[in-house]
């Protein structure tokens, strides 16, 4: 053991490709599973939600308009950078979730693999969900899936990295942009993930990460007119009702999610991708 | 120039087999509804057509219980291939009774007979025929092996295409193994109750389809009923939001097909005469009572005057009058209430500075009619550019560049449909990518087919009807 004093990291929000503190100036202490102090995290506010939503909206045109191949490469690049930070993530997951480092490392590996799985979907999902429609007339009619827009993601409270990746990767793989509220008590892997995103080729604003309370910020996301869909996974049962009601004000898509956190190690299917996609049907006459 | 008058060509009202009384259909039987009966009017003449029994809370309850029983004991366990044969039967019976249904629909709704005859009824039959084939092929629909139905679906449909909206709702629900309780619109319940008779003729097991007429209160009972697994609603965005709010926090699944304010975008290289036909069809079809109507015409500035001239000339030739006359292009507005709304919104356009042009056609003395109207010089801030009028009123705006066209077209909380008119293929595809709308018609408008998914982005709702995509609305996926 050397006598060197380590440099403690300041954990901040991630909005529009930058790392601001909460405009509210609020912070809250983050502890490890035994209650030991880890860091002070920014406690995001309604104003931070609004900034994050406007960044996500601004980024939507470019991200959704990028080719699927390009999005796939950018997301694969994220996995590469994640892989390079395995030790750091494992340490943070172990501290936050109170699991042995070896288990945490397995979780990190699963998270990297999950990210790779979704990265590969970007240029395939349209051929799986799209169609040429055999209509009864002289028309060419086809249906393509398109990203629904800005998605508010209330990340799982327990699974700080694998759960987070499992709910975030499908959002960005479809071409949507995201405003994520991390696990409140276990936010460190989420902030480190935003550093990965910032140093990959993901354009600023495509993913915005807020640390704070899902039950406090969820209803603001759900009532925001520039949010198109919301995943209430990280909200409490009571708050989910409020969120779903708020969402009706602008006809948002609200994900149906299980009451308790699912087993995130289970192999995913494409249902999360499907939830963030709108079917667009295009018609053109033939022969005239 | 001499004018060639059309001779009257009325379809016979007798074909509708109109009866003085219609009753709710619960558990395979027509029952006396416990609600206050309503009188359905002929909007073309304001005369009463028939008295219709409505459902009370206990009738809704009985219908839901019957649907649950049918789902658990008969329809759910039945092999898909057998379910399919009932749907094929229904499709054929709709075709066989097409004349009767078309005349009945026109009497009850006010739409021109040529539309109910050539569009509503045949497309309704096509929906049953298409979905019948899916019933035993769901393993191939892309939702994994043996996808499961949701259970009992509560379905609430609007008055603009009464039978067709019923088909859009019931056909996919039954094909996927669900049973239904459907509420037709208050002003147009008749064809749904004749459909109930068709279910009997087809030998459809009791309880699989239940029809509960009534007003919004009956819809509300359905939405709040704990025995219902899924709500499917087509109607206004305002009511859709109320339903989404009511369903929030319950396990009920929901799909919504709501309002729209579609842009119909015309570029200077478009074939203008063809575009004029598409614009006219896009906004005046079914008196503009169409959620995907092309109600905002966006025309490139350089051809705006020429296009407006051609448009007014063409609209002047539209024949407004007796919906039963086979030459009628524009029928009656469905209700006094809707007529008042159209008048109010159109007047607001004039007040806010739009220029109003109205077709010089004569209006019948009785009945609810509104002459085709074009508002030009419309700005994006005006109510007539933002709110759904749901009537034969077109708002005309202009643009200069393709980017401006995209921005203006997407400047709405809705997102149901869009129209594009240009001869340039690459521009069509570029624009089609950028329209935030669930249906894009390029060099055509208002095309519908059971094989083509239909539904909206944003506040035009969620979920799709038609195609493989549409099956998702009724499956556990």
């Amino acid at each position: 053991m050397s006598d060197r004093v380590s440099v403690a990291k300041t954990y901040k929000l991630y909005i529009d490709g930058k790392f601001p503190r909460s405009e509210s100036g609020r912070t809250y202490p983050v502890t490890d599973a035994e209650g030991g102090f880890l860091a002070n995290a920014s406690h995001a506010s309604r104003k931070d939600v609004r900034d994050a939503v406007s960044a996500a909206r601004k980024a939507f045109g470019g991200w959704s308009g990028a080719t699927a191949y390009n999005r796939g490469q950018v997301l694969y690049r994220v996995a590469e950078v994640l892989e390079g930070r395995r030790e750091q993530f494992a340490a943070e997951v172990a501290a936050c979730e109170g699991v042995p480092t070896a288990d945490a490392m397995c979780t990190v590996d699963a998270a990297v693999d999950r990210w790779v799985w979704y990265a590969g979907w970007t240029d395939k999902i349209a051929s799986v969900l799209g169609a040429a429609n055999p209509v009864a007339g002289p028309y060419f009619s086809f249906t393509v899936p398109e990203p629904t827009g800005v998605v508010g993601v209330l990340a799982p409270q327990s699974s700080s990295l694998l759960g987070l990746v499992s709910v975030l990767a499908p959002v960005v793989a479809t071409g949507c942009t995201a405003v994520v509220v991390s696990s409140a008590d276990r936010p460190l892997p989420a902030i480190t993930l935003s550093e990965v995103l910032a140093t990959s080729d993901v354009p600023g604003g495509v993913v915005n990460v807020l640390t704070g309370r899902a039950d406090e910020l969820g209803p603001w996301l759900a009532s925001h007119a520039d949010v198109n869909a919301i995943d209430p996974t990280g909200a409490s049962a009571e708050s989910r009702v409020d969120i779903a009601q708020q969402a009706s004000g602008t006809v948002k898509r609200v994900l149906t999610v299980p009451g308790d956190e699912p087993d995130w190690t289970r192999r995913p299917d494409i249902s999360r991708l499907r939830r963030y996609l709108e079917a667009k049907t295009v018609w053109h006459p033939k022969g005239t | 120039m001499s004018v060639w008058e059309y001779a009257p060509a009325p379809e016979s009202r007798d074909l509708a087999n109109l009866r003085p009384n219609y009753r709710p259909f619960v558990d395979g039987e027509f029952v006396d509804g416990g609600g206050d009966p309503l009188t359905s009017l002929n909007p073309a003449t304001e005369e009463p057509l028939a008295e219709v029994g409505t459902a009370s809370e206990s009738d809704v309850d009985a219908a839901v219980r019957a649907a649950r029983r049918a789902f658990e004991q008969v329809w759910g366990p039945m092999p898909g291939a057998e379910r399919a044969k009932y749907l094929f039967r229904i499709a054929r019976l709709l075709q066989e009774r097409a004349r009767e249904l078309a005349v009945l629909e026109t009497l009850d709704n006010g739409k021109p007979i040529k539309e109910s005859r050539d569009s509503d009824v045949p497309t309704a039959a096509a929906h049953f025929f298409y979905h019948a084939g899916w019933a035993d092929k769901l393993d191939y629909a892309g939702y994994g092996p043996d996808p499961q139905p949701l259970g009992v679906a509560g379905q609430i449909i609007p008055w603009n295409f009464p039978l067709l909206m019923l088909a859009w709702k019931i056909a996919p629900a039954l094909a996927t193994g669900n049973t239904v309780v459907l509420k037709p619109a208050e002003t147009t319940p008749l064809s749904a109750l004749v459909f109930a008779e068709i279910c009997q003729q087809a030998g459809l097991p009791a309880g699989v389809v239940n029809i509960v007429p009534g007003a919004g209160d009956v819809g509300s009972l359905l939405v709040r009923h704990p025995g219902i697994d899924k709500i499917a609603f087509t109607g206004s965005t305002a009511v859709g939001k109320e339903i989404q709010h009511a369903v929030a926090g319950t396990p009920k699944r929901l799909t919504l097909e709501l309002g729209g304010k579609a842009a119909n975008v015309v570029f200077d290289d478009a074939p203008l005469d063809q575009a004029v036909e598409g614009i006219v069809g896009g906004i005046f079809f079914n008196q503009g009572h169409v959620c995907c109507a092309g109600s905002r015409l966006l025309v490139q500035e350089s051809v705006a005057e020429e296009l407006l001239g051609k448009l007014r000339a063409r609209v002047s030739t539209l024949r407004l009058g007796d919906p039963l006359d086979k030459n009628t292009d524009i029928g009656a507005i469905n209700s006094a209430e809707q007529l008042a709304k159209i008048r109010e919104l159109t007047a607001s356009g004039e007040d806010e500075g739009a220029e109003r042009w109205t077709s010089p056609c004569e209006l019948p003395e009785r009945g609810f009619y509104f002459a085709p109207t074009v508002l030009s010089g419309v700005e994006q801030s005006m109510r007539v550019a933002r709110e759904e009028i749901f009537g034969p009123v077109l708002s005309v705006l202009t643009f200069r560049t393709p980017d401006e066209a995209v921005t203006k077209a997407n400047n709405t909380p809705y997102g149901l449909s869009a129209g594009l008119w240009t001869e340039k293929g690459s521009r069509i595809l570029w624009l089609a990518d950028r329209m935030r709308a669930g249906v894009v018609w390029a060099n055509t408008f208002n095309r519908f087919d059971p094989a083509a998914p239909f539904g909206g982005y944003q506040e035009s709702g969620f979920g799709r009807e038609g195609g493989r995509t549409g099956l998702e609305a009724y499956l556990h996926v």
Side-chain angles (χ1 to χ4, degrees):
Chain A
M1 221 35 183
S2 80
D3 295 337
R4 181 178 175 275
V5 176
S6 66
V7 178
K9 180 167 143 187
T10 309
Y11 290 87
K12 295 192 284 187
L13 308 177
Y14 181 53
I15 299 174
D16 203 13
K18 301 179 188 70
F19 292 93
R21 292 188 169 83
S22 171
E23 66 76 40
S24 65
R26 301 186 302 178
T27 60
Y28 67 102
V30 177
T31 59
D32 62 24
E34 273 76 52
F37 177 79
L38 287 174
N40 284 309
S42 293
H43 186 161
S45 66
R46 182 187 186 183
K47 176 67 164 62
D48 298 320
V49 166
R50 285 173 13 205
D51 290 347
V53 170
S54 72
R57 174 57 60 191
K58 201 173 66 181
F60 178 68
W63 185 242
S64 61
T67 65
Y69 178 53
N70 179 240
R71 278 203 308 273
Q73 292 199 76
V74 169
L75 295 182
Y76 183 73
R77 173 78 182 150
V78 172
E80 291 176 347
V81 181
L82 268 172
E83 178 89 11
R85 294 227 206 177
R86 285 166 77 238
E87 309 284 340
Q88 183 188 355
F89 276 112
E92 285 175 348
V93 168
C96 284
E97 300 186 9
V99 294
T101 309
D103 292 359
M105 191 58 90
C106 286
T107 301
V108 173
D109 290 348
V112 177
D113 293 353
R114 180 70 37 92
W115 198 281
V116 171
W117 191 76
Y118 277 115
W121 268 117
T122 59
D123 53 2
K124 292 155 199 79
I125 194 69
S127 41
V128 170
L129 298 184
N133 306 314
V135 296
Y139 296 91
F140 178 41
S141 171
F142 61 95
T143 297
V144 286
E146 290 193 341
T148 196
V150 173
V151 180
V153 177
L154 305 178
Q157 294 300 336
S158 301
S159 183
S160 58
L161 181 66
L162 181 58
L164 171 68
V165 165
S166 301
V167 297
L168 174 61
V171 174
V172 287
T174 58
C176 290
T177 57
V179 175
V180 182
V181 179
S182 75
S183 165
D185 296 338
R186 302 172 175 181
L188 303 192
I191 294 299
T192 302
L193 179 66
S194 27
E195 292 168 9
V196 168
L197 297 167
T199 51
S200 311
D201 298 317
V202 181
V206 169
V207 177
N208 304 274
V209 179
L210 306 176
T211 49
R213 304 278 161 200
D215 285 5
E216 177 194 351
L217 302 177
W220 295 128
L221 272 171
S223 63
H224 196 299
D226 225 2
V227 173
N228 299 92
I230 190 152
D231 171 0
T233 297
S236 67
E238 310 78 66
S239 184
R240 282 183 187 182
V241 178
D242 183 27
I243 286 166
Q245 287 176 343
Q246 297 284 342
S248 69
T250 51
V251 196
K252 285 182 183 63
R253 289 85 179 113
V254 182
L255 251 69
T256 306
V257 293
D260 296 320
E261 266 191 56
D263 174 8
W264 297 108
T265 61
R266 264 209 329 254
R267 212 180 120 185
D269 58 24
I270 60 168
S271 59
R272 278 187 172 267
L273 294 168
R274 206 191 278 120
R275 296 286 171 271
Y276 299 125
L277 291 165
E278 301 286 341
K280 174 187 277 180
T281 299
V282 182
W283 294 66
H284 195 275
K286 289 178 185 175
T288 52
Chain B
M1 201 174 84
S2 64
V3 177
W4 292 69
E5 286 298 335
Y6 283 75
E11 184 59 280
S12 167
R13 175 191 165 108
D14 295 342
L15 288 168
N17 289 331
L18 203 60
R19 279 170 273 139
N21 292 292
Y22 290 80
R23 296 190 294 165
F25 183 66
V26 176
D27 203 9
E29 302 290 337
F30 289 95
V31 301
D32 292 324
D36 293 333
L38 59 84
T39 302
S40 200
L41 294 183
N42 179 351
T45 60
E46 300 177 52
E47 287 161 1
L49 283 174
E51 193 177 89
V52 180
T54 69
S56 65
E57 187 165 359
S58 66
D59 296 325
V60 169
D61 208 42
V64 172
R65 270 186 283 114
R68 171 67 54 195
R69 201 163 50 240
F71 172 68
E72 286 173 356
Q73 295 173 10
V74 188
W75 199 246
M78 187 183 290
E82 301 301 304
R83 283 205 311 271
K85 286 188 273 185
Y86 285 108
L87 293 183
F88 282 124
R89 279 188 192 175
I90 290 172
R92 286 298 194 224
L93 284 159
L94 284 169
Q95 290 171 327
E96 285 155 16
R97 296 178 67 172
R99 285 184 86 192
E100 172 193 354
L101 285 162
V103 175
L104 182 71
E105 198 78 319
T106 283
L107 284 172
D108 204 18
N109 170 280
K111 66 175 63 203
I113 184 69
K114 70 176 178 190
E115 289 179 10
S116 48
R117 180 194 64 198
D118 298 344
S119 175
D120 293 50
V121 177
T123 313
H127 265 266
F128 278 96
F129 202 86
Y130 173 82
H131 284 96
W134 267 123
D136 56 356
K137 299 169 191 68
L138 297 173
D139 287 346
Y140 300 92
Y143 302 106
D146 199 21
Q148 293 300 303
L150 298 173
V152 176
Q155 306 179 316
I156 302 168
I157 58 170
W159 45 261
N160 58 342
F161 296 92
L163 184 70
L164 182 57
M165 291 299 104
L166 172 147
W168 281 28
K169 292 280 177 282
I170 293 184
L174 297 196
T176 45
N178 300 272
T179 56
V180 307
V181 180
L182 176 135
K183 186 193 90 67
E186 187 183 359
T187 59
T188 55
L190 302 188
S191 55
L193 295 165
V194 171
F195 177 82
E197 203 177 276
I198 285 175
C199 291
Q200 284 184 327
Q201 289 177 340
L204 189 72
V208 173
V209 168
N210 303 271
I211 311 281
V212 288
D217 54 329
V218 177
S220 181
L221 288 171
L222 275 180
V223 166
R224 288 172 174 78
H225 200 291
I228 281 181
D229 301 296
K230 192 244 156 61
I231 296 289
F233 170 75
T234 296
S236 72
T237 290
V239 175
K241 288 177 179 179
E242 285 174 26
I243 291 174
Q244 189 179 356
H245 193 273
V247 167
T250 74
K252 284 193 185 78
R253 292 268 305 266
L254 178 66
T255 45
L256 299 170
E257 204 269 86
L258 309 177
K261 193 71 195 178
N264 207 354
V265 188
V266 182
F267 284 85
D268 57 7
D269 68 342
L272 289 191
D273 292 327
Q274 214 176 307
V276 164
E277 290 306 308
I279 295 162
V280 167
I283 185 63
F284 299 120
F285 176 69
N286 204 36
Q287 297 74 247
H289 301 329
V290 185
C291 46
C292 53
S295 54
R296 280 185 301 151
L297 178 64
L298 291 176
V299 54
Q300 199 155 19
E301 214 172 78
S302 48
V303 290
E305 275 313 306
E306 184 187 356
L307 183 77
L308 263 180
K310 284 175 182 280
L311 183 63
R312 287 169 182 164
R314 177 68 181 91
V315 175
S316 303
T317 67
L318 294 176
R319 300 173 59 80
L320 181 148
D322 179 8
L324 277 179
D325 192 306
K326 290 172 223 169
N327 293 318
T328 291
D329 298 306
I330 310 276
I333 301 301
N334 181 249
S335 65
E337 188 191 359
Q338 186 59 26
L339 181 59
K341 190 187 150 198
I342 296 167
R343 284 178 174 154
E344 190 271 323
L345 262 168
T346 309
S348 85
E350 275 186 284
D351 291 346
E352 291 186 282
E355 185 190 336
R356 176 179 185 158
W357 176 89
T358 297
S359 169
C361 62
E362 274 180 41
L363 301 186
E365 279 177 16
R366 297 212 58 185
F368 312 130
Y369 291 93
F370 193 91
T373 294
V374 176
L375 299 169
S376 52
V378 170
E379 298 294 337
Q380 295 185 85
S381 58
M382 295 180 187
R383 285 179 65 202
V384 290
R386 294 183 289 119
E387 296 178 30
E388 186 174 38
I389 300 174
F390 224 61
V393 182
L394 179 66
S395 300
V396 185
L397 299 88
T398 59
F399 69 91
R400 290 184 181 174
T401 65
D403 281 331
E404 188 187 349
V406 169
T407 306
K408 284 186 167 171
N410 288 337
N411 185 16
T412 169
Y414 294 114
L416 191 51
S417 66
L420 307 172
W421 299 86
T422 166
E423 284 287 68
K424 201 171 170 187
S426 63
R427 182 184 278 162
I428 289 173
L429 296 174
W430 183 87
L431 283 160
D433 273 353
R434 279 159 186 76
M435 291 294 115
R436 298 284 292 158
V439 187
V440 177
W441 288 296
N443 293 327
T444 184
F445 208 90
N446 271 351
R447 298 290 151 202
F448 307 98
D449 194 283
F454 180 95
Y457 284 36
Q458 306 184 140
E459 294 191 22
S460 288
F462 44 75
R464 293 293 179 271
E465 296 180 290
R468 182 165 63 90
T469 319
L471 300 172
E472 186 184 336
Y474 293 97
L475 291 171
H476 271 298
V477 292

